Structure formats: structure tokens, C-alpha cells
Amino acid sequence: MSGIRPRRPVAEQGLLDIMGMTSDEFVAASFEQGVPRGRALQAYRTMFREGRFEGDWFGIEDPPVNRREVEGQTTKFTLALGDDHETESVLIPMHHRKHGTTRTLCVSSQIGCAMGCEFCETAQMGLVRNLSAGQIVSQWWAATHRVDTTVKNMVFMGMGEPMDNLDEVLQSIRVLTDHNGPAVPSSNISISTVGRIDGINRVAEFVKQPGYHRLNLAISVNAPNDRIRSELMPINRAMKMSELQEALLAFPLRGGAAFCAEYVLIPGVNDGDDHCDELSRWLEPLRCSLNVIPYNPRRDSPWPAPEEHDVERFISRAIANGCFVKRRGTKGRDVMAACGQLGNPEIRRRKRVEGSGLVQPVVEGRSLKVDPR
Ligand code: SAH
């Protein structure tokens, strides 16, 4: 992969392109414009640390954070990309027993998605387009400097399949971890994938480089066997669970680290006791935690959300089977901001509110409430 990315003079590039550059790349590109290195580096730091643009060679304007939709403490916001499209991102509060509350930022890597998973809202819109590294990084920037949130963790679990846009995703991670820029530790970043094996192998190479070995990988397993998985996730027709398991076994996990195996629990589909046992056996050789996600119904969903007692039964059984289990909350369901609910056209069609920081009611006429979890 090439080191220096800018092809056009910095002044001609939009902000979202600039945010896709590491500090080295930015300084080099600015230097070509006659800007001294020290001044360029200072401008780069100010952009990411303070959210201001001080270099007049930028020639750029603030990107509009178009909308904020809030349910309880879960905030969904969109960023205009200047071409009628928007990114969607979600800020999720994480409550810890000892350390108070931190925020996790869930970013999109694409607009829409080509993977076609049956249970996922985003899949319904198909793939509109890939996001650039800058458009991914700008989601962190907007969360930090326009929604004014301190982001601790970042997960690539918004719209899109990161492995289908891996060049830009990896470049965004170079920028996000840049010490002169956002300086998000790679141990706080997770890439979540449907299980594209070629992508997993490329990430395996990426994490062998200095500075990236703590990057986290999450796999959407979602089924106990190939029959059910192929029905839910078309990718499985091409890449079977045994091959997926092999790729994970070959992945260079740093000492003590674990994969996150995501499992969307869908009533009557993959939530049986035998499913749980079969899944536990598949997970057995892998160092991983099992993240059970109660299904959030997409629009026109053929399935309801699971009953609480069924979620608990599945989790207890997985624990008894020896799995390390975490349960994911269902925050944001009311604003279609929960897992698998991004890309709702009803929300997308609503009038855009220009300017940063404007709050629009979530869904008109519907009351907002704090999710009980
Ligand atoms: N394409 C990537 C990342 C986006 S999806 C991936 O597949 O991992 C992020 C997570 O949300 C995945 O684990 C996915 O299985 C889960 N998900 C998708 N639709 C969901 C839904 N309706 N309810 C709950 N989780 C869902």
C-alpha cells in the first residue's frame, strides 16, 4: 500500500479527504504547497485535538453534523458527505462498575452494504457506496468536536462490511491511532466482519505491524451451523464455518486477547438449546468471548425480538458449556440506532437540518424514553 496518499494539492481537497491523512502524509502534502513542516503539524494537531482549522491552505469548511437523534443516552448522528449521502454513527454509553460511564462510537464503513444478511436493516438498502478513510475518521471528529463527546472505544459495527472496503478502513485506523491526531489506542478499536476470510487474513497481516497488534476483531457468527448460517448470511454459501474457524485459528492473537464472536439471537431460528451446544462446540478451539445480541427487529421483520427468558436461558447454557459470555444491550432501538438498524429510509428521507449540533426529534410523535437496560 502506498505511503503518501494525497494526489491533489491540500488546498483543493475537502476536509473529509484531509482527515484521511496521517500526520506524516498531511505534513508532506502541505510542504509541497510551501507550508513549513512545523506549521502543518501544528494545524493537524489543532484539527484533531481542538476541532479547529487554522491553516489557510486548508480552504475548507466545517462538515455539517446534520442531525442528532437521542434515545436516553444513545445518540445517533449523521454527517453530510456533500453528495446527497450521509454517514450514520451511533454513540453508545457503556456503564462500568468501577470506572463510571464511557462512550463507544459505532462507525459506518460504507453507505448501505452488499452482504445481504436477512436480519439486518442496512442490507435492505444494498450497497450505495464505500466511505473513504477521511469520511470514516470524520465520524470520530464530529463525535468528539461537534457532538462534544469523549470517545473511548470505536467499533466498525455501523453500516457496511469493513472487509469490503478494507483499504479505506485500514487507512482510517492509521489516522485514528496517529499520536498527532485522534490518538485512539488500537486496543480500543474493533473491526466487525461477516467473516470474509480474505479480509481476516489481510487484517492478520496488518496487526503484525508495530503499533497495531492490539487491534480487536469481532466476527458475526450468528448461527450454530452452515445450514442456518447460509440462510441468514449469504457470505456463508461461499465461505463455510469450518474455513472461518481455520482463518481465526491462524490469526495472530496477542497474548491474553480474544476474538469477539457476535451472535444475534433470533427467536425460533438460532436460539434453541441444541443450537447453543453446537455453537459452543464450534467456539471451543477459539480464544473468544461470545457476545449475545438480542435481535432488534428490522422493518418488515419476519421475526420478533426474543423474549427475555429465552435470552437468559441461552446465555446460561452457553456459560454452562464453558463459553465466556457477554450480553449486548439493545440501546437505541426506538430510534433505529440499535445493532443492525442503521440505514432506515424513513429517517433518511426526513428533512435535513443544516448546521452543527442541531437536535431534531427522533421520530415525530413518538416519545423518547431511556432504554430499560
Ligand atoms: N458488517 C459487519 C458490521 C456491521 S453489523 C458485521 O457483519 O459484523 C454489526 C453487528 O450487528 C453484527 O454482529 C451483526 O450481526 C449485528 N446485527 C445486524 N443486524 C442486527 C439486528 N437486526 N439485531 C441485532 N444485531 C444485528
Side-chain angles (χ1 to χ4, degrees):
M1 216 164 297
S2 70
I4 304 295
R5 290 163 50 90
R7 292 148 293 250
R8 289 177 285 141
V10 175
E12 284 175 23
Q13 299 191 35
L15 175 60
L16 302 185
D17 290 336
I18 287 170
M19 284 195 195
M21 295 183 200
T22 63
S23 52
D24 283 350
E25 291 165 351
F26 179 80
V27 167
S30 299
F31 190 70
E32 279 175 26
Q33 310 297 302
V35 179
R37 293 179 194 278
R39 196 166 151 233
L41 185 59
Q42 187 53 48
Y44 187 88
R45 287 179 176 157
T46 305
M47 169 167 75
F48 282 114
R49 293 178 184 173
E50 294 167 37
R52 291 186 294 107
F53 309 105
E54 54 185 26
D56 51 9
W57 69 103
F58 278 108
I60 43 157
E61 289 170 14
D62 224 80
V65 178
N66 276 337
R67 193 185 296 124
R68 281 212 260 165
E69 301 172 337
V70 187
E71 177 197 316
Q73 292 178 309
T74 299
T75 304
K76 172 161 139 179
F77 65 89
T78 63
L79 256 183
L81 300 179
D83 61 356
D84 258 11
H85 292 303
E86 300 173 330
T87 65
E88 294 188 27
S89 324
V90 184
L91 276 160
I92 309 147
M94 297 289 182
H95 305 292
H96 309 278
R97 250 176 240 126
K98 285 187 190 149
H99 313 290
T101 301
T102 58
R103 307 275 150 184
T104 294
L105 174 64
C106 178
V107 291
S108 295
S109 55
Q110 299 180 311
I111 297 180
C113 183
M115 292 292 97
C117 300
E118 282 298 324
F119 43 81
C120 181
E121 177 77 29
T122 306
Q124 309 295 306
M125 61 193 282
L127 178 64
V128 177
R129 69 176 176 82
N130 283 333
L131 294 179
S132 67
Q135 289 165 342
I136 296 169
V137 173
S138 68
Q139 297 172 62
W140 176 90
W141 184 90
T144 304
H145 296 298
R146 291 299 175 265
V147 186
D148 291 329
T149 302
T150 304
V151 173
K152 179 156 190 278
N153 296 302
M154 282 192 63
V155 293
F156 284 83
M157 295 183 189
M159 285 200 282
E161 166 53 32
M163 303 303 191
D164 276 0
N165 186 22
L166 198 50
D167 286 342
E168 299 300 316
V169 165
L170 294 181
Q171 174 66 10
S172 75
I173 290 171
R174 290 188 193 98
V175 178
L176 288 165
T177 53
D178 191 313
H179 289 294
N180 292 305
V184 179
S186 64
S187 54
N188 292 6
I189 301 177
S190 296
I191 300 183
S192 177
T193 174
V194 290
R196 256 194 73 167
I197 291 167
D198 50 339
I200 293 171
N201 293 340
R202 275 191 65 197
V203 174
E205 291 306 311
F206 183 80
V207 300
K208 286 179 189 160
Q209 302 169 90
Y212 300 111
H213 64 292
R214 287 168 173 275
L215 187 67
N216 300 290
L217 188 61
I219 316 292
S220 298
V221 181
N222 294 346
N225 57 47
D226 282 328
R227 186 182 57 77
I228 299 176
R229 196 165 191 269
S230 291
E231 270 171 32
L232 292 175
M233 304 175 70
I235 184 80
N236 198 73
R237 296 170 204 161
M239 299 176 181
K240 300 281 178 248
M241 287 179 77
S242 55
E243 298 163 42
L244 177 57
Q245 193 187 47
E246 246 169 65
L248 294 174
L249 285 168
F251 192 91
L253 270 188
R254 75 190 148 90
F259 298 111
C260 170
E262 297 164 284
Y263 196 89
V264 181
L265 199 68
I266 311 175
V269 174
N270 63 3
D271 67 340
D273 287 351
D274 47 340
H275 297 147
C276 184
D277 296 349
E278 206 176 355
L279 172 71
S280 307
R281 283 195 296 276
W282 187 84
L283 295 174
E284 224 265 325
L286 300 170
R287 229 167 50 217
C288 68
S289 66
L290 174 63
N291 205 326
V292 174
I293 314 172
Y295 172 61
N296 297 304
R298 60 166 169 81
R299 279 173 309 125
D300 307 322
S301 172
W303 313 289
E307 301 284 349
E308 181 57 31
H309 60 87
D310 284 327
V311 179
E312 279 164 18
R313 174 185 45 77
F314 192 92
I315 289 177
S316 309
R317 194 169 179 100
I319 293 172
N321 286 341
C323 299
F324 178 73
V325 186
K326 289 183 208 162
R327 177 186 174 152
R328 190 171 302 167
T330 53
K331 301 181 188 85
R333 256 190 205 165
D334 274 14
V335 291
M336 289 298 278
C339 292
Q341 294 190 313
L342 297 183
N344 182 347
E346 188 191 322
I347 292 179
R348 304 176 70 76
R349 244 185 280 117
R350 289 213 321 276
K351 205 170 144 264
R352 215 177 251 178
V353 179
E354 296 296 338
S356 47
L358 285 179
V359 181
Q360 224 200 7
V362 180
V363 176
E364 287 83 352
R366 211 197 269 182
S367 69
L368 305 186
K369 64 174 199 287
V370 181
D371 192 279
R373 274 194 49 81

